Amino acid sequence: MSLPFEILKSRDFRFLMFARMAVSMALQAQAVIVGWQVYSITKDPFMLGLTGLAEAVPAIICALFSGHVVDNNRPHKMFLICLGALCLNTFMLFLFGGEIITTEGHHILPFIFAGIFISGVARSFIMPASFSLVSSIIPKHKMAGGMAWLTSGFQVATIVGPAVAGLIYGGYGARAAWMMPVILVCVSFILMWNLSDVPRNWRNRNHREAAIASITAGWKFIWGKKILMQIMMIDMFAVLLGGTVAILPAFADQVLHTGSEGLGMLRAAPAVGSILCALYLAIKPMQQIHARSLIWVAVGFGVSMIGFGLSTTFWLAMFFLFVSGAVDSISVVVRQTLMQLLTPDDMRGRVSAVNSMFIISSNEIGAFRSGSMAAVLGLVPSIILGGAASIAVGAVAAVSSRT
């Protein structure tokens, strides 16, 4: 077996990759179902933005100490606890969103938003737990290729999850669609339960530290590593200002005049571009990892968002979303590889938790930003302005790197 595929011989790596795929697919499917249900009830893009905020607030607040908790416990144990919580949460959403338990009018919305809130809490712990587990399974000399494979798996999830959820929702209704995330989260739990003893028992440190001191030490480490802060900041502001995922239901309905099936395809289009790029990077890993490449990623992402905003046909919109995913894949591989290589074992949970704050801020608060701007400025102007802002982020980063 050639070197790029050698990491796939590891049973634990395969289980981790497929477990991450399953839970990611579940959350992506949940996002499509939630987005379509909320928009169907309210017809308000601002409410779509609120779904992002409802997940971002608890995730960011909990991320302040989730890294400390992971660093002082077994990451595998924390991962399992979070998956168990998600199993119960998605089942609750299935009961109310699938109208097994019926409500009247908008009374379903509080339960949907409660489910989103709980997902945000679980995500804040899953991300550092997963990041910490990686180093116990992937040797450092295989890290770039391993991270590319994990990125590919994640992008498979973001392709299949939205597309299948949209098709099921359109063909069989919300009840059948909600069964999908329930089953996938349970599959992820089973896979993680069956990891070998080494990653199950591995922990970052052998001593406990006061929470405040531990959190402070994590932030000091990140501020001391200028390159880590730079890569987090570039990605955060590019996606925060330019992301459009949250308002896709409105764009699909008002501009492209398509239903939930089309929405699922639009949600999957960036992942198609991302997975093709990630697979290429997995088979031909980068020989040198440079943070400077993220500058061009921000510019490319902004250009693709402007093109998407100007699109009036379904396939043209799909193309620009495809391009946005391809450039974003480069960002993910570069960031995750540099973080793994530059972070000591006893800091992995806290560094990943801080990174998750940046990611959640960019994605979920970015969802609120895009929904709010769309409500005030209109869909198309808000998307174009966001794309221009992402280009500006790349320009500012380029100037800063020269000073």
Side-chain angles (χ1 to χ4, degrees):
M1 186 175 291
S2 61
L3 185 61
F5 297 94
E6 188 176 356
I7 188 66
L8 297 179
K9 293 193 295 184
S10 168
R11 175 181 178 274
D12 286 332
F13 178 79
R14 294 196 306 272
F15 275 29
L16 176 63
M17 182 173 70
F18 287 123
R20 286 169 47 132
M21 284 176 60
V23 71
S24 297
M25 195 182 302
L27 293 174
Q28 291 288 329
Q30 175 180 301
V32 167
I33 300 167
V34 163
W36 198 254
Q37 282 195 307
V38 169
Y39 186 72
S40 297
I41 293 171
T42 66
K43 296 297 182 180
D44 186 353
F46 179 73
M47 292 298 294
L48 295 175
L50 283 182
T51 62
L53 192 64
E55 187 170 8
V57 170
I60 292 173
I61 292 174
C62 291
L64 291 172
F65 60 89
S66 63
H68 162 74
V69 174
V70 170
D71 278 340
N72 284 277
N73 290 277
R74 289 184 291 116
H76 177 264
K77 176 183 176 181
M78 299 308 303
F79 205 152
L80 276 183
I81 291 173
C82 292
L83 288 175
L86 285 177
C87 286
L88 296 175
N89 187 53
T90 52
F91 185 69
M92 182 272 290
L93 286 168
F94 165 69
L95 292 178
F96 288 97
E99 297 184 341
I100 305 298
I101 300 176
T102 58
T103 59
E104 295 182 2
H106 291 197
H107 294 168
I108 190 178
L109 292 179
F111 296 101
I112 290 178
F113 277 91
I116 298 170
F117 185 93
I118 295 170
S119 293
V121 174
R123 279 186 60 188
S124 71
F125 287 88
I126 281 181
M127 295 177 75
S130 174
F131 182 83
S132 296
L133 272 176
V134 166
S135 63
S136 70
I137 295 174
I138 306 177
K140 284 192 174 182
H141 68 281
K142 298 180 181 178
M143 191 61 68
M147 293 311 303
W149 280 116
L150 291 176
T151 301
S152 300
F154 171 78
Q155 297 302 340
V156 167
T158 55
I159 293 171
V160 177
V164 174
L167 290 171
I168 295 175
Y169 194 115
Y172 302 98
R175 182 174 301 181
W178 273 116
M179 290 179 65
M180 180 181 173
V182 173
I183 293 171
L184 286 169
V185 174
C186 292
V187 168
S188 181
F189 184 90
I190 293 170
L191 288 169
M192 290 304 299
W193 182 269
N194 284 282
L195 287 185
S196 68
D197 289 340
V198 173
R200 285 177 68 92
N201 297 321
W202 186 83
R203 60 191 306 148
N204 296 327
R205 50 167 63 184
N206 294 318
H207 65 279
R208 292 189 176 273
E209 187 178 1
I212 298 299
S214 175
I215 294 169
T216 302
W219 277 98
K220 284 183 177 179
F221 173 80
I222 293 171
W223 281 110
K225 287 284 186 180
K226 184 179 178 181
I227 188 172
L228 287 179
M229 185 56 66
Q230 286 177 336
I231 62 178
M232 292 180 189
M233 293 287 285
I234 292 173
D235 179 76
M236 181 188 75
F237 281 110
V239 179
L240 172 66
L241 299 174
T244 60
V245 172
I247 57 175
L248 281 181
F251 194 87
D253 178 53
Q254 297 180 22
V255 178
L256 302 180
H257 309 294
T258 184
S260 62
E261 298 91 339
L263 172 62
M265 293 179 67
L266 290 171
R267 283 292 299 261
V272 175
S274 186
I275 189 175
L276 291 177
C277 184
L279 283 172
Y280 176 82
L281 295 176
I283 296 171
K284 293 188 175 182
M286 296 181 183
Q287 299 302 312
Q288 293 181 323
I289 305 292
H290 295 295
R292 292 189 302 274
S293 59
L294 296 184
I295 295 172
W296 293 107
V297 166
V299 173
F301 184 79
V303 170
S304 65
M305 286 298 96
I306 292 174
F308 168 70
L310 294 173
S311 300
T312 56
T313 63
F314 181 79
W315 292 109
L316 187 60
M318 288 277 288
F319 169 77
F320 282 112
L321 289 174
F322 171 92
V323 174
S324 74
V327 295
D328 184 60
S329 182
I330 299 172
S331 171
V332 173
V333 173
V334 170
R335 283 187 293 110
Q336 292 295 319
T337 302
L338 286 175
M339 285 175 59
Q340 286 288 350
L341 295 177
L342 296 176
T343 305
D345 287 344
D346 64 344
M347 285 282 181
R348 292 189 183 280
R350 283 165 288 175
V351 170
S352 180
V354 173
N355 183 54
S356 74
M357 292 177 64
F358 283 86
I359 293 174
I360 293 166
S361 296
S362 63
N363 292 335
E364 274 63 46
I365 294 183
F368 178 71
R369 189 275 315 161
S370 61
S372 301
M373 286 184 63
V376 174
L377 303 176
L379 282 172
V380 173
S382 67
I383 294 172
I384 295 174
L385 185 60
S390 291
I391 295 174
V393 169
V396 170
V399 172
S400 300
S401 67
R402 295 177 182 274
T403 59

